[in-house]
Amino acid sequence: MGKIELQNICFQYAGNSSMTLENINLSVNAGEFVCVLGTSGCGKSTLLSILCGLQRPSSGKFLIDGKEITGPGPERGVVFQHYSLFPWLTAKENIIFGIKQVRKDLPKKEIENIAQAYMAKVGLEGFESNKPAQLSGGQQQRVAIARALAMNAEILLLDEPFGAVDTKNRRTLQKLVCDLHESEKKTFIFVTHDVEESILLADRIVFMIPHQIYQVIDVNLPKPREYEQIRNDSDFVALRKMLIDLFYEKYKDFSYESAEAKL
């Protein structure tokens, strides 16, 4: 469960004269970790919004396990950059709320046990009663990740989820996501503009240029990957150089300001 197929996806925002996405074709296997890499304005967040079901493609098909998808669904959990937690609920209550939306048949005690188990998985035991304002940015993002996983979704969609945290917390959260992917065996699609982050996390990297996918790159480095251990590895260095070169080569004539105005 959790195989994604995008077939000739095109998308155009109302009032725009040009397409934001053109002829997107991509297949993601169940249990795979795919990073969508590209700079601001290339269309990667629009692509994720289609995968979330928040936008419908202008043309083409989006399928999960062979079934065409036209909106949001419980098989997909979403983590955004800015946490999206309910400020009036505690950390644990935020997770419980998510579980109740998709697992209504479970008794109250079992829901609480699941929420507690995922608090532990993301290293937040002892913070159950804290509200978001009492948590750091990294802790809030842990709660958002725990909530998405606790909803038992087959697919996790993450839109630059670590962009608002500092470097140290970013490394910690990257390791957490890697560990959770290995233990949960879910399908992960992770949007980022960070080259090193994409190499650390992904089985494959989807490199986007404005409106389209330019290249899909296999990451053959063994997992689990620890940044401090592999940052000087020759394969890591070579892949990082290749991706940076792609940024310089493929974006040199692209106006970010005009693109960001469209997205």
Side-chain angles (χ1 to χ4, degrees):
M1 296 290 289
K3 181 176 180 178
I4 294 169
E5 292 180 81
L6 300 174
Q7 300 176 353
N8 299 313
I9 294 289
C10 296
F11 182 84
Q12 184 173 6
Y13 284 102
N16 280 9
S17 59
S18 62
M19 289 283 186
T20 300
L21 298 174
E22 296 183 64
N23 299 318
I24 300 293
N25 288 281
L26 180 67
S27 180
V28 178
N29 293 321
E32 190 173 16
F33 199 123
V34 169
C35 280
V36 180
L37 179 66
T39 196
S40 299
C42 70
K44 60 187 188 297
S45 289
T46 299
L47 178 61
L48 199 80
S49 72
I50 290 173
L51 294 171
C52 295
L54 301 177
Q55 300 279 5
R56 292 190 64 179
S58 304
S59 61
K61 290 185 177 181
F62 164 32
L63 302 99
I64 296 177
D65 296 324
K67 179 183 177 182
E68 187 167 4
I69 303 299
T70 58
E75 73 283 347
R76 284 158 287 161
V78 187
V79 180
F80 296 104
Q81 180 175 346
H82 295 293
Y83 321 130
S84 62
L85 301 178
F86 296 112
W88 57 89
L89 298 180
T90 67
K92 188 174 179 179
E93 287 169 346
N94 265 281
I95 298 172
I96 288 171
F97 178 88
I99 299 170
K100 285 181 175 179
Q101 303 314 298
V102 295
R103 306 175 76 177
K104 297 179 172 59
D105 56 322
L106 295 179
K108 179 180 178 181
K109 185 62 176 176
E110 187 172 352
I111 290 174
E112 289 184 356
N113 289 341
I114 292 169
Q116 185 62 45
Y118 278 96
M119 287 288 293
K121 274 182 179 283
V122 300
L124 284 178
E125 285 182 299
F127 293 90
E128 292 85 354
S129 298
N130 289 48
K131 291 185 177 179
Q134 299 170 302
L135 300 171
S136 70
Q139 288 171 327
Q140 290 183 59
Q141 201 59 294
R142 285 170 183 253
V143 176
I145 292 168
R147 182 175 60 188
L149 287 166
M151 292 168 70
N152 202 33
E154 291 295 325
I155 297 166
L156 275 294
L157 305 169
L158 301 98
D159 191 6
E160 302 198 43
F162 309 149
V165 299
D166 61 67
T167 300
K168 182 180 178 181
N169 275 314
R170 189 173 188 131
R171 294 290 184 225
T172 302
L173 288 167
Q174 287 165 350
K175 185 178 186 309
L176 171 67
V177 165
C178 282
D179 291 345
L180 290 171
H181 177 248
E182 289 299 306
S183 64
E184 299 284 329
K185 305 302 181 186
K186 307 292 188 183
T187 306
F188 278 66
I189 297 185
F190 188 109
V191 167
T192 183
H193 59 263
D194 187 295
V195 167
E196 290 187 343
E197 182 167 76
S198 69
I199 301 171
L200 279 171
L201 300 177
D203 298 315
R204 288 189 297 155
I205 297 169
V206 175
F207 186 85
M208 288 192 69
I209 59 175
H211 320 304
Q212 59 193 282
I213 293 171
Y214 176 74
Q215 190 173 349
V216 180
I217 300 146
D218 292 328
V219 183
N220 294 317
L221 294 164
K223 286 187 171 183
R225 299 173 194 146
E226 295 274 0
Y227 178 74
E228 294 300 326
Q229 295 175 5
I230 70 167
R231 63 179 180 173
N232 295 319
D233 180 273
S234 59
D235 290 334
F236 179 89
V237 172
L239 182 52
R240 179 177 58 193
K241 181 181 184 304
M242 186 194 79
L243 291 168
I244 291 172
D245 287 347
L246 278 177
F247 269 104
Y248 278 101
E249 177 187 350
K250 297 302 171 185
Y251 286 98
K252 62 184 178 182
D253 298 321
F254 178 52
S255 171
Y256 304 122
E257 291 78 9
S258 61
E260 287 176 348
K262 296 177 183 178
L263 300 184

